[in-house]
Amino acid sequence: MTAAAILGPEGARLGRDEAAFFRDADPWGFILFARNVETPDQLRRLTSDLRETLGREAPILIDQEGGRVQRMRPPHWHAYLPALDQMQRALDPLRAQWLRHRLIAAELHEVGIDVNCAPLADLVEPQTHHILRNRLYGDTVDGVVAAARIAADGLLAGGVLPVLKHIPGYGRAHVDSHKALPRVSVPLSELRARDFAPFVALGDMAMGMTAHIVLDAVDPDRPATTSAKAMRMIREEIGFDGLLMTDDLSMEALSGDIDARAEASIAAGCDVVLHCNGDRDEMEAVVAACGVMGTDAMRRADTALAQRRTPESADLDALRDELGALTGEDV
């Protein structure tokens, strides 16, 4: 039975003992980080070995937004501008957004990665923490929805599935959730008008990721990831029925032991938990705590994976030249 977890391998190569653990644990998928990335050949071998271990075409995720959040970097892969910088400088921002994500998808697909944790639909606010700000696409609902939608289209055209983040909205956070728990204290009417609105418009996307953030108007006692109230709001009011994964359970925004975090996330209504740091003891605890994927979670997972397709034919050199002409960068 498939564990309700996405796990991060420890290093650049899959050892025999780690492979045996993954085979027994049977996570739904894997997520890769810079520690797992060396060269294209090495990465192809790692993604192949991970799938061979589970005996199925398990989804393999990565955070390849471009800018600061980019696990695959030069000299083997292009270093893209921060997203907000590109949106502000491109002659045709939406065309550049599609080109960027179509090219990122080509780089991912070529090494066996089929899910990218993008696009972001959080809104830029005056107080948005600098760790997040230039990863975003803008400060208007319509603009962000258009940019997120076309980014997802670019990924899908390249054979890579998108993950919408960070539901229900992280733009108002003025602290970094990797280090502390953000808390937002504004009326629900304001959240509905701005924070939730992009996710409502993008609610048909097949996968999404939670935000580790407390919204006092929804649940003052728990961050959204572990809040049943927030999960009901995401499903019923925002209308998101895609596969919902947590943000990384290891982030310091969450409290308690790692197994308690996993158990609370699943109990609240998340479909799968995301554990990223590769620590074996923690992964064992997470797998034991989260249990197997339920019927609704498997339905959503199957719906998402059914969107996987062969990349559309494209002249990648021509796309690079076009992106460079639009942004002034050497792609």
Side-chain angles (χ1 to χ4, degrees):
M1 300 292 286
T2 302
I6 300 167
L7 303 178
E10 181 179 3
R13 289 156 189 82
L14 185 62
R16 183 176 301 175
D17 181 63
E18 187 177 32
F21 163 68
F22 286 145
R23 189 176 300 110
D24 290 341
D26 194 21
W28 182 70
F30 300 98
I31 186 165
L32 304 184
F33 283 80
R35 67 177 184 272
N36 307 118
V37 175
E38 292 178 349
T39 67
D41 285 345
Q42 166 271 323
L43 202 44
R44 277 189 291 270
R45 172 61 64 85
L46 178 60
T47 56
S48 176
D49 287 348
L50 288 168
R51 291 188 171 110
E52 183 178 348
T53 294
L54 298 189
R56 55 183 168 87
E57 286 297 303
I60 298 180
L61 294 72
I62 199 166
D63 288 290
Q64 192 76 354
E65 299 173 11
R68 183 179 53 79
V69 180
Q70 181 170 334
R71 314 308 184 193
M72 296 160 53
R73 290 187 169 274
H76 301 292
W77 300 280
H78 179 67
Y80 294 87
L81 292 169
L84 188 59
D85 293 354
Q86 178 177 298
M87 291 295 296
Q88 292 172 340
R89 70 189 281 182
L91 298 176
D92 183 340
L94 292 182
R95 177 60 179 170
Q97 180 80 327
W98 186 89
L99 291 165
R100 170 196 187 95
H101 287 86
R102 178 64 182 85
L103 291 167
I104 287 174
E107 293 178 331
L108 299 183
H109 188 272
E110 195 266 339
V111 295
I113 297 170
D114 59 357
V115 182
N116 192 16
C117 296
L120 288 71
D122 311 292
L123 292 165
V124 174
E125 304 285 1
Q127 72 271 32
T128 302
H129 193 275
H130 67 85
I131 206 75
L132 179 67
R133 175 178 289 272
N134 71 357
R135 297 166 57 193
L136 305 183
Y137 307 151
D139 59 3
T140 69
V141 171
D142 289 346
V144 166
V145 168
R149 177 71 70 186
I150 206 164
D153 289 346
L155 291 172
L156 288 165
V160 172
L161 303 180
V163 177
L164 179 66
K165 59 188 188 186
H166 305 84
I167 307 173
Y170 179 41
R172 292 183 193 267
H174 62 274
V175 299
D176 177 9
S177 61
H178 293 85
K179 303 296 183 183
L181 177 60
R183 179 178 292 272
V184 170
S185 299
V186 300
L188 189 58
S189 59
E190 291 187 30
L191 295 174
R192 286 171 171 153
R194 278 190 62 78
D195 305 60
F196 301 169
F199 298 102
V200 171
L202 298 163
D204 60 317
M205 287 184 59
M207 286 189 283
M209 180 184 293
T210 66
H212 296 331
I213 190 169
V214 171
L215 303 176
D216 282 336
V218 177
D219 186 346
D221 300 319
R222 291 178 176 270
T225 301
T226 59
S227 167
K229 294 177 182 178
M231 289 299 115
R232 282 196 300 273
M233 184 266 303
I234 289 170
R235 295 300 192 190
E236 297 172 8
E237 180 172 337
I238 291 178
F240 184 79
D241 190 42
L243 184 79
L244 189 60
M245 65 188 72
T246 72
D247 205 341
D248 182 14
L249 291 183
S250 301
M251 291 164 65
E252 294 178 27
L254 300 182
S255 59
D257 293 337
I258 200 74
D259 53 346
R261 300 178 186 191
E263 184 177 9
S265 299
I266 296 297
C270 293
D271 293 313
V272 289
V273 300
L274 186 62
H275 183 270
C276 299
N277 66 22
D279 181 278
R280 176 72 63 82
D281 290 340
E282 288 194 7
M283 287 193 288
E284 290 176 352
V286 164
V287 169
C290 71
V292 300
M293 294 180 70
T295 302
D296 286 342
M298 285 302 303
R299 171 183 59 80
R300 295 176 181 124
D302 290 345
T303 298
L305 295 186
Q307 292 188 352
R308 291 193 289 199
R309 62 180 190 255
T310 302
E312 298 172 7
S313 178
D315 183 338
L316 298 179
D317 287 337
L319 297 184
R320 292 185 190 98
D321 289 344
E322 185 182 358
L323 180 59
L326 289 175
T327 63
E329 60 176 322
D330 184 14
V331 183

